Amino acid sequence: MDSLYIILILIAGIVFFIAFFLQSKWIIKIKYQFPEMRDAQISVYLYKWCVIRQKNLRISNQAEMEKGFIHFYKLLREKKLHVLKEIRLQALLKELQVLEFKWQTKGGTGNAFTTSITSGTMWAVKGWLVGYLSQHLQLCGKPQINVQPDFQSARLETAFSCMISFRLGKTILGIMRVLKIKEVRK
């Protein structure tokens, strides 16, 4: 009879641990600065406990990034990425909360005319990105974006910091919804 109680307690403990783990709140912090850092720093937290502290991810060099973009553009142009229309990422993205979003850029081309055009383009891209994020994610704070033109010199500096929070169980369910295979219509 005692062994039955021990087994029931172990099963209840395992169920409680799984329920706790699936309801756990995870936070991911991403930080990148150019040209000071060549790596992106990522920290992962479970509630307030740090699980992974500042893991440095190597950013690809320019040639590898251009090669990847060219390959992606080629597939897009050949209409081989039509599968992306079928995937509903909104179900997954709605589960993510953006706690902090900061992106500051400072730079110029050395010419006042082209610097002003470049700065305006950067504002447009950042504004579009913030609009997309606010439409598809839960923004908990006001995004902080800034573009500071430098009309005197040709340089580029950028600092990016983002903090994302999610519940593991809801994210797993969102991934399962995204990966759900539709029946083929006849």
Side-chain angles (χ1 to χ4, degrees):
M1 197 62 160
D2 289 335
S3 63
L4 179 64
Y5 288 129
I6 292 173
I7 291 173
L8 288 175
I9 290 172
L10 283 174
I11 291 173
I14 291 171
V15 168
F16 177 74
F17 179 74
I18 291 173
F20 171 76
F21 189 69
L22 289 177
Q23 285 297 317
S24 62
K25 186 174 184 178
W26 292 78
I27 297 174
I28 299 175
K29 290 183 180 181
I30 303 169
K31 183 178 181 183
Y32 178 72
Q33 290 181 334
F34 178 81
E36 289 86 21
M37 295 173 17
R38 293 290 180 191
D39 301 333
Q41 294 180 346
I42 296 180
S43 302
V44 179
Y45 295 87
L46 172 63
Y47 292 105
K48 301 271 181 180
W49 303 304
C50 185
V51 178
I52 299 173
R53 182 174 305 274
Q54 290 189 350
K55 174 77 175 172
N56 292 336
L57 294 178
R58 177 66 54 192
I59 302 296
S60 313
N61 63 15
Q62 184 80 16
E64 290 177 16
M65 288 176 62
E66 288 175 0
K67 185 178 171 184
F69 284 127
I70 290 171
H71 178 68
F72 178 77
Y73 179 72
K74 183 177 160 186
L75 290 176
L76 191 62
R77 192 178 62 218
E78 294 173 359
K79 298 183 180 177
K80 292 185 178 180
L81 293 179
H82 63 282
V83 177
L84 292 176
K85 294 179 183 176
E86 300 294 323
I87 297 176
R88 291 179 290 221
L89 292 177
Q90 286 80 13
L92 179 61
L93 292 177
K94 284 293 181 187
E95 303 299 331
L96 299 177
Q97 292 181 337
V98 179
L99 303 175
E100 174 185 285
F101 186 84
K102 295 179 183 177
W103 189 7
Q104 282 81 27
T105 305
K106 185 188 301 183
T109 61
N111 182 346
F113 177 71
T114 56
T115 297
S116 62
I117 291 175
T118 305
S119 297
T121 304
M122 291 169 65
W123 271 115
V125 168
K126 287 183 178 189
W128 174 83
L129 182 63
V130 168
Y132 183 84
L133 290 177
S134 64
Q135 185 178 11
H136 295 288
L137 300 171
Q138 299 175 27
L139 291 178
C140 295
K142 184 178 177 185
Q144 299 175 6
I145 60 173
N146 188 19
V147 176
Q148 184 178 3
D150 183 4
F151 296 106
Q152 303 301 320
S153 62
R155 65 184 176 107
L156 175 67
E157 295 176 10
T158 188
F160 177 78
S161 174
C162 181
M163 191 179 339
I164 301 169
S165 173
F166 60 93
R167 298 239 182 236
L168 188 62
K170 289 184 178 182
T171 305
I172 290 173
L173 288 175
I175 291 171
M176 290 172 61
R177 279 187 231 128
V178 166
L179 296 177
K180 185 177 180 182
I181 300 173
K182 290 185 170 184
E183 293 182 21
V184 177
R185 295 181 185 176
K186 293 183 179 181

